[in-house]
Amino acid sequence: MKLNSGGNMVEASKNRLEARIAHRYGDLSGQLRAAADYVVAHPVEIATRSLRSVSAASKVSPATLSRLARALDFENYEDMREVSRSTSSAR
């Protein structure tokens, strides 16, 4: 996860998963919105369960979850999951 130049607290808060989703939600396809809705509603599952397990529970394909991660400017699903882990552990 990288902060933009000037990485201040405002930029850091934008890196939270929910903030990224909210920022990009209007640009997401229907499938990506379904995945995003699940991610927001189930942050602990995202943080603790495998991609395949989350896919089965959410009825969203692993590829769609991976595309969501990239749409949110993460390198991959694991990077998105790490942000969910750090957010969940901070709660």
Side-chain angles (χ1 to χ4, degrees):
M1 177 174 61
K2 299 173 188 161
L3 293 176
N4 293 334
S5 60
N8 60 26
M9 288 302 278
V10 173
E11 289 299 323
S13 68
K14 285 184 181 179
N15 283 323
R16 286 186 41 244
L17 190 52
E18 297 86 355
R20 285 190 187 203
I21 290 170
H23 181 72
R24 299 285 174 114
Y25 196 81
D27 297 329
L28 300 177
S29 69
Q31 283 185 318
L32 292 180
R33 283 184 184 188
D37 291 344
Y38 190 87
V39 167
V40 170
H42 302 91
V44 174
E45 289 185 28
I46 301 306
T48 60
R49 295 174 68 189
S50 70
L51 173 61
R52 289 181 190 267
S53 178
V54 170
S55 173
S58 66
K59 298 183 178 27
V60 173
S61 75
T64 298
L65 288 165
S66 293
R67 282 194 304 275
L68 174 64
R70 288 191 304 277
L72 299 176
D73 293 328
F74 292 104
E75 288 287 322
N76 54 43
Y77 178 82
E78 282 302 314
D79 286 350
M80 182 174 76
R81 187 174 176 206
E82 276 302 314
V83 170
S84 186
R85 280 186 186 141
S86 64
T87 301
S88 294
S89 65
R91 289 183 182 168

